[in-house]
Amino acid sequence: MTEPSPSRPVPGPPRPVPGPTPPPAAPSPEGAASGEDRFAGLDEQPVTEHVAVFEAEHSRLQRELGTIDQL
C-alpha cells in the first residue's frame, strides 16, 4: 500500500510582466470634469443620491461612446 505524498504548496498567481507604457490620456475638453471630480464627495452624500450621479455618468458615457462609429 502506498502512503499519501506530502502536501505541496499551491502556486500563486503569475507575476505581472512589464509591457509597453500606455500613451498619456488626452486632455479633457474645456469645462469637462475629470472622473475624480464627478465622483468627488460621493461618499459624503446619502446613498439614495448616488443613483442620480451614476445615471448621469452613464448617460455621458453613452453619448461619448456613441460618437465612435461616426469617426
Side-chain angles (χ1 to χ4, degrees):
M1 195 166 174
T2 60
E3 296 201 16
S5 59
S7 63
R8 294 184 283 171
V10 177
R15 294 184 182 171
V17 178
T21 306
S28 299
E30 287 297 317
S34 71
E36 287 185 20
D37 293 342
R38 284 185 206 97
F39 300 118
L42 192 62
D43 53 343
E44 285 98 27
Q45 294 180 3
V47 175
T48 55
E49 293 180 19
H50 292 193
V51 174
V53 173
F54 286 113
E55 284 179 344
E57 181 63 8
H58 182 253
S59 296
R60 185 193 70 78
L61 289 170
Q62 283 183 315
R63 283 191 311 274
E64 292 293 322
L65 293 172
T67 63
I68 290 175
D69 290 337
Q70 299 171 6
L71 295 179

